[in-house]
């Protein structure tokens, strides 16, 4: 994508004269001087999560304590951005068609006020297009980063085709971590939910109900008997 397509400075420059209606003359003048800075701010603003946030916030060790758990959460996150990028692509194409239609209508319109209104709509669509291009760039960055993380966590020691395979071990770790946060002041529903799920998962794993379970059942038995 050409960087010029994401350049909003021409839109901002053109809008200064209209901002005179909204702003004082001195404020409009200040805005005009700040346009290059605002263009820079608009381009580099954070839209989605950084890799730092992905690692410590999304893939926190207390919630996703194994490489398999981190890998599969990365799959979910990457897919969310992929689907959103696809929907954005459809919206972008529709917006482009609407731009062409408005441009055609402007050429054919005889009424000066209607033509002026359509020009405003056109400029709004063009600004919206620039925003979509920026969002697309940010979503693609997330998709690429999640791809990098998937490769990092994939050590070849877990099933990367069936998410169910790792979940008993992953949820066991997560519930044990939640149990450690319970205090005498924890609400009854919270305690009931955490302990209830934890004990049920232990029973299900011991009973052999699960087709897949990557953890050592003997170690679970020791924990229960301790």
């Amino acid at each position: 994508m050409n960087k010029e397509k994401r350049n909003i400075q021409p839109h901002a420059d053109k809008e200064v004269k209209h901002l005179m209606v909204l702003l004082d003359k001195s404020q409009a003048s200040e805005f005009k001087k700040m346009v290059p800075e605002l263009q820079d701010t608009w381009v580099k603003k954070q839209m989605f999560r950084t890799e730092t946030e992905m690692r410590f916030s999304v893939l926190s060790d207390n919630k996703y304590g194994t490489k398999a758990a981190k890998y599969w959460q990365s799959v979910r996150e990457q897919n969310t951005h992929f689907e959103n990028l696809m929907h954005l692509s459809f919206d972008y194409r529709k917006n482009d068609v609407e731009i062409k239609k408005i441009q055609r209508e402007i050429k054919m319109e005889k009424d000066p006020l209607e033509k002026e209104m359509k020009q405003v709509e056109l400029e709004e669509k063009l600004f919206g297009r620039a925003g979509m291009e920026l969002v697309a760039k940010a979503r693609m960055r997330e998709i690429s980063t999640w791809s990098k993380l998937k490769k990092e966590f994939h050590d070849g020691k877990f099933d990367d085709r069936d998410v169910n395979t790792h979940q008993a071990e992953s949820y066991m770790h997560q519930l044990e971590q939640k149990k450690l946060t319970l205090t005498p002041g924890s609400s009854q529903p919270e305690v009931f939910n955490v302990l209830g799920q934890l004990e049920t998962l232990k029973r299900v794993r011991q009973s052999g109900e699960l087709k897949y379970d990557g953890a050592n059942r003997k170690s679970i038995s020791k924990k229960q008997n301790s």
Side-chain angles (χ1 to χ4, degrees), residues 2-19 31-32 34-36 38-39 42-43 92 95-96 99 103 119-134:
N2 193 309
K3 288 184 179 180
E4 280 301 309
K5 294 177 72 177
R6 296 193 295 268
N7 183 11
I8 63 163
Q9 186 159 345
H11 302 294
D13 285 336
K14 187 183 292 186
E15 201 63 21
V16 170
K17 64 179 181 180
H18 302 293
L19 284 172
F31 176 87
K32 187 173 183 178
M34 292 178 66
V35 166
L38 295 174
Q39 159 71 17
W42 186 78
V43 169
Y92 183 86
N95 190 69
D96 258 7
I99 287 172
Q103 288 172 332
Q119 183 62 39
V120 173
E121 292 173 359
L122 175 61
E123 291 171 14
E124 185 178 22
K125 292 290 183 184
L126 291 171
F127 183 76
R129 183 171 67 179
M132 290 181 189
E133 290 162 357
L134 198 64

Side-chain angles (χ1 to χ4, degrees), residues 34-54:
M34 292 178 66
V35 166
E37 177 189 341
L38 295 174
Q39 159 71 17
D40 179 60
T41 296
W42 186 78
V43 169
K44 70 184 181 185
K45 66 181 181 290
Q46 181 178 341
M47 301 192 74
F48 303 117
R49 292 158 299 193
T50 63
E51 183 176 340
T52 301
E53 291 170 324
M54 293 176 189

Side-chain angles (χ1 to χ4, degrees), residues 22-226:
L22 294 173
L23 303 173
D24 294 337
K25 186 175 180 179
S26 60
Q27 291 177 319
S29 177
E30 182 181 6
F31 176 87
K32 187 173 183 178
K33 293 175 183 176
M34 292 178 66
V35 166
E37 177 189 341
L38 295 174
Q39 159 71 17
D40 179 60
T41 296
W42 186 78
V43 169
K44 70 184 181 185
K45 66 181 181 290
Q46 181 178 341
M47 301 192 74
F48 303 117
R49 292 158 299 193
T50 63
E51 183 176 340
T52 301
E53 291 170 324
M54 293 176 189
R55 288 180 180 278
F56 87 88
S57 180
V58 180
L59 302 177
S60 57
D61 291 346
N62 63 335
K63 195 170 183 180
Y64 303 105
T66 65
K67 287 187 176 181
K70 292 180 187 295
Y71 171 86
W72 280 106
Q73 184 59 28
S74 297
V75 169
R76 296 184 195 100
E77 298 289 344
Q78 185 185 48
N79 184 66
T80 295
H81 282 275
F82 161 66
E83 291 186 2
N84 282 320
L85 181 59
M86 291 300 294
H87 287 299
L88 180 61
S89 178
F90 298 138
D91 289 339
Y92 183 86
R93 288 164 58 195
K94 290 176 185 176
N95 190 69
D96 258 7
V97 172
E98 289 169 356
I99 287 172
K100 292 173 185 177
K101 287 172 67 176
I102 294 172
Q103 288 172 332
R104 182 182 64 187
E105 290 167 359
I106 289 174
K107 290 180 181 179
M108 299 174 62
E109 185 58 58
K110 303 300 183 185
D111 187 311
L113 289 179
E114 286 298 325
K115 182 171 286 195
E116 185 178 350
M117 178 63 76
K118 291 185 184 302
Q119 183 62 39
V120 173
E121 292 173 359
L122 175 61
E123 291 171 14
E124 185 178 22
K125 292 290 183 184
L126 291 171
F127 183 76
R129 183 171 67 179
M132 290 181 189
E133 290 162 357
L134 198 64
V135 172
K137 178 186 176 185
R139 286 206 182 280
M140 191 58 221
R141 177 189 58 78
E142 275 238 9
I143 289 171
S144 298
T145 307
W146 286 117
S147 176
K148 169 188 171 183
L149 293 174
K150 282 165 59 184
K151 291 181 177 70
E152 178 182 322
F153 299 131
H154 198 321
D155 58 6
K157 297 179 181 178
F158 59 84
D159 185 354
D160 66 352
R161 307 308 302 170
D162 185 354
V163 66
N164 181 56
T165 308
H166 85 284
Q167 285 185 319
E169 183 178 0
S170 175
Y171 277 120
M172 195 75 183
H173 171 83
Q174 188 179 135
L175 290 168
E176 290 284 7
Q177 292 297 308
K178 285 184 177 180
K179 181 180 177 181
L180 293 175
T181 67
L182 296 176
T183 67
S186 298
S187 67
Q188 184 177 359
E190 183 182 8
V191 174
F192 185 81
N193 186 50
V194 173
L195 297 185
Q197 289 187 36
L198 182 58
E199 293 307 312
T200 301
L201 183 55
K202 287 180 178 179
R203 176 189 61 75
V204 168
R205 296 182 78 190
Q206 277 196 316
S207 69
E209 291 179 38
L210 291 175
K211 181 179 178 182
Y212 302 115
D213 186 355
N216 186 330
R217 288 196 176 90
K218 185 179 291 185
S219 64
I220 297 172
S221 178
K222 285 181 180 178
K223 285 182 182 178
Q224 284 187 314
N225 294 331
S226 62

